[in-house]
Amino acid sequence: MSYGVSTHYSYHLVGIYTGRILKGEKPADIPVQQATKLDLIINLKTAKALGIKISDNLLSLADEVIE
């Protein structure tokens, strides 16, 4: 199980920063932004191999389930 920053959203933020820099803003003047989109990813294959039962409720909340 992994709960962390969405890779897709992080690349989106990088694109925004790059665009602002290419338009002439100084990197030192751009405020630091922290990613706010988090993903919950559950690996069922590994959980089954370890004998761990994941509740259906938690599976329904996951952004991605690896079977």
Side-chain angles (χ1 to χ4, degrees):
M1 192 174 341
S2 170
Y3 189 64
V5 177
S6 167
T7 307
H8 183 317
Y9 185 69
S10 295
Y11 289 142
H12 175 74
L13 288 178
V14 168
I16 291 172
Y17 273 98
T18 304
R20 290 175 72 175
I21 292 168
L22 291 174
K23 288 180 182 177
E25 284 191 59
K26 294 180 183 177
D29 295 338
I30 301 174
V32 175
Q33 293 183 351
Q34 190 171 17
T36 56
K37 170 76 172 92
L38 301 173
D39 285 341
L40 174 61
I41 301 170
I42 299 174
N43 189 330
L44 277 181
K45 183 178 179 181
T46 302
K48 287 179 184 177
L50 294 172
I52 299 171
K53 171 73 173 117
I54 306 292
S55 71
D56 292 335
N57 190 22
L58 187 58
L59 288 173
S60 68
L61 296 173
D63 295 297
E64 182 181 347
V65 176
I66 301 169
E67 300 201 36

